[in-house]
Amino acid sequence: MSNQNIAFGIDIGGSGIKGALVDLRTGEFASERIRIPTPHPSTPDAVAATCQELIEHFDLPDDMPIGITFPAPVVRDTVLFMANLDPSWTGVNVNQLMWKRLGRKVHATNDADAAGYAEVLYGAAKEVSGTVIVTTLGTGIGSAIIFDGTLLPNTELGHLEIDGKDAESRASAAQRENRGWSFKQWAKRLQRYYSHVEMLFSPDLFVVGGGISKKHQKYLPLLELSTPIVPAKLRNTAGIVGVAALAARHQTGELPN
Ligand code: BGC
């Protein structure tokens, strides 16, 4: 199956760990997507064992690039802090962990950065120049800032402090669900959030991802911003696609045409 146009992506989320082969020419899945529930507690060893299960399921060739997303900032392969998985991830070097468990190298990236990169390569931000901010609305709020196609990693705009509170604790999709807000009520929180981000960065485009972007018609039209705001195109495949592309780029130094 070794093929330089194919890479493997794993997306680690709070409820599921998902993996699929990605065709890098199109940004589409080249296999079915397998989902395994996230272990509880979601410690590094337990999560690494789940990644191993996924990789064994697909019987990947040794030279296939493997990318893994984390819902956390990842700097030089190390998780800086973990808001929505087991806190014992803090300080873990993901490459070393996976090397011990899998005996192979992986490329680790923040989940929103991966999703943002996928939207730039294949989705709603393709060929958009200037500053694009991709936000993912889920358990937390993830962010990716891309300027003229170049990603500025680990921006963590979900943890902006707004009105004295951590932004994602007021405006994430999980908060809407937990608190039983209508889309209209939630849109007020989103308005406050996006106006603030708009004021700070003057972006050219906002792209909104995460599972809830399926229902974008219920809340995006309620927002009043100077910046165009559009739903993500890749929806819930973006993390896997983006991290597979980043892993391939990391391994070969380029992306296939
Ligand atoms: C984390 C980010 C992540 C986002 C979405 C936040 O709590 O700090 O790193 O991108 O959630 O998962």
Side-chain angles (χ1 to χ4, degrees):
M1 201 197 337
S2 185
N3 174 340
Q4 56 180 334
N5 292 318
I6 306 284
F8 190 65
I10 297 181
D11 191 17
I12 298 178
S15 58
I17 299 183
K18 294 139 278 180
L21 290 166
V22 175
D23 185 331
L24 302 172
R25 291 161 303 186
T26 59
E28 282 165 9
F29 284 172
S31 70
E32 60 175 338
R33 185 192 76 151
I34 301 285
R35 179 184 188 279
I36 300 176
T38 306
H40 288 289
S42 48
T43 55
D45 280 342
V47 169
T50 307
C51 292
Q52 182 179 25
E53 218 180 298
L54 280 173
I55 287 168
E56 282 171 1
H57 172 90
F58 285 93
D59 194 16
L60 303 179
D62 289 343
D63 59 349
M64 178 166 291
I66 300 177
I68 306 187
T69 73
F70 288 84
V74 183
V75 176
R76 283 182 277 284
D77 303 320
T78 300
V79 173
L80 294 193
F81 65 83
M82 185 60 89
N84 295 313
L85 283 185
D86 197 83
S88 62
W89 276 98
T90 302
V92 168
N93 181 304
V94 181
N95 255 348
Q96 282 169 11
L97 172 78
M98 295 297 170
W99 179 258
K100 257 196 248 152
R101 168 63 74 163
L102 311 171
R104 51 197 298 167
K105 282 195 176 153
V106 300
H107 181 72
T109 304
N110 170 262
D111 55 1
D113 282 345
Y117 192 64
E119 290 297 329
V120 167
L121 283 184
Y122 311 105
K126 193 172 172 184
E127 282 157 24
V128 175
S129 55
T131 305
V132 176
I133 301 190
V134 180
T135 53
T136 59
L137 302 175
T139 310
I141 296 181
S143 62
I145 301 186
I146 301 107
F147 178 72
D148 281 352
T150 300
L151 174 72
L152 171 69
N154 296 308
T155 49
E156 294 296 324
L157 302 187
H159 297 295
L160 277 176
E161 190 180 309
I162 300 182
D163 301 329
K165 299 255 166 59
D166 191 42
E168 75 174 24
S169 74
R170 292 173 61 87
S172 72
Q175 288 298 322
R176 186 190 80 83
E177 241 177 75
N178 296 343
R179 301 185 190 214
W181 292 329
S182 65
F183 280 102
K184 206 170 151 199
Q185 286 169 317
W186 187 43
K188 286 194 185 137
R189 310 277 174 140
L190 293 177
Q191 177 70 51
R192 180 81 187 92
Y193 179 66
Y194 285 108
S195 307
H196 191 64
V197 176
E198 177 173 68
M199 181 275 290
L200 291 174
F201 294 95
S202 306
D204 294 284
L205 178 69
F206 279 122
V207 178
V208 179
I212 198 76
S213 62
K214 278 202 290 285
K215 301 197 175 152
H216 61 95
Q217 271 145 345
K218 294 186 189 286
Y219 56 94
L220 290 189
L222 305 179
L223 303 183
E224 288 178 21
L225 299 160
S226 319
T227 313
I229 184 161
V230 298
K233 270 210 178 123
L234 283 88
R235 309 279 156 82
N236 60 357
T237 68
I240 292 177
V241 171
V243 83
L246 282 162
R249 196 188 69 172
H250 189 73
Q251 190 163 309
T252 62
E254 60 187 47
L255 273 175
N257 301 311

